[in-house]
Amino acid sequence: MPSRLNYPNFSAAALLTVTTFAQAEDTFSFNTGSFVYHLLGNHGQYTEKFDNEFYSIEKRLPDHPDYSLLVGTMRNSYGDRCLSLGVRKDWAEKDSIIFKGIYGYTGEFFFDEFSKCGDEGIYHSFKNITGIGFAPYIYHAVQYNFTNHFGVESGIIFPSVFVVSLNWRF
């Protein structure tokens, strides 16, 4: 079984870093608390519900405020720790509702913690072709902001993974 990062310490360090470097406008976000459910072909074999242990930090681009860069970590459908890198695009916004997309890489990285990510599923298929175990993630969601600093989002990772997540902005 892969080793586990100390998530309370990771979360505290991430929040401290984000609040230290944040500016007056909400330039950083911390995403956590993801609920994941596979809508197709699900017979209880996947890592899902809250077991995916997803955490990420987003940095809004000052010259393009509808774009953010994202870095994070999660357990893939097979329970292996992966690195997540992506770009977020806010496609539409009205009042407290945002329609957004995240387009990214979720896969292996040179740290041992992420070395098993490409051992199964689509990650393994890409590893056979490219030498690196990963999956391209295409995620579209609707985010509702309860306050200027907290929102809840729900969406689909293409083609059929349902997600609900919390978004904290600083």
Side-chain angles (χ1 to χ4, degrees):
M1 176 172 208
S3 64
R4 291 188 176 259
L5 294 173
N6 186 330
Y7 293 103
N9 286 345
F10 173 80
S11 298
L15 283 173
L16 178 62
T17 301
V18 166
T19 55
T20 300
F21 293 105
Q23 299 168 1
E25 306 257 340
D26 299 326
T27 60
F28 284 92
S29 297
F30 184 62
N31 302 295
T32 185
S34 287
F35 175 88
V36 173
Y37 187 79
H38 295 75
L39 298 172
L40 300 174
N42 187 344
H43 306 288
Q45 74 273 30
Y46 296 121
T47 300
E48 55 185 10
K49 299 182 179 158
F50 292 103
D51 292 338
N52 71 324
E53 300 173 356
F54 174 76
Y55 298 93
S56 73
I57 296 173
E58 285 183 40
K59 169 68 171 111
R60 185 176 303 270
L61 300 178
D63 294 336
H64 303 282
D66 54 338
Y67 284 91
S68 300
L69 299 178
L70 176 143
V71 62
T73 181
M74 60 173 268
R75 292 200 179 276
N76 66 13
S77 300
Y78 306 97
D80 301 315
R81 176 69 51 203
C82 299
L83 175 74
S84 294
L85 301 171
V87 174
R88 170 183 163 173
K89 165 72 171 145
D90 292 347
W91 291 104
E93 184 172 354
K94 182 158 174 62
D95 300 323
S96 297
I97 299 173
I98 299 171
F99 175 69
K100 65 183 185 178
I102 296 177
Y103 312 96
Y105 164 95
T106 297
E108 295 179 333
F109 198 60
F110 59 85
F111 297 126
D112 286 343
E113 184 70 29
F114 305 111
S115 65
K116 302 284 186 206
C117 186
D119 288 356
E120 296 182 66
I122 190 71
Y123 305 87
H124 189 70
S125 298
F126 274 97
K127 187 173 190 168
N128 287 339
I129 295 167
T130 67
I132 300 171
F134 75 98
Y137 270 45
I138 300 170
Y139 171 66
H140 290 106
V142 173
Q143 178 174 315
Y144 180 78
N145 295 321
F146 289 95
T147 70
N148 289 336
H149 300 288
F150 175 73
V152 174
E153 67 184 59
S154 182
I156 298 288
I157 298 172
F158 181 78
S160 63
V161 179
F162 173 73
V163 177
V164 177
S165 187
L166 305 178
N167 180 274
W168 307 85
R169 291 175 304 286
F170 304 94

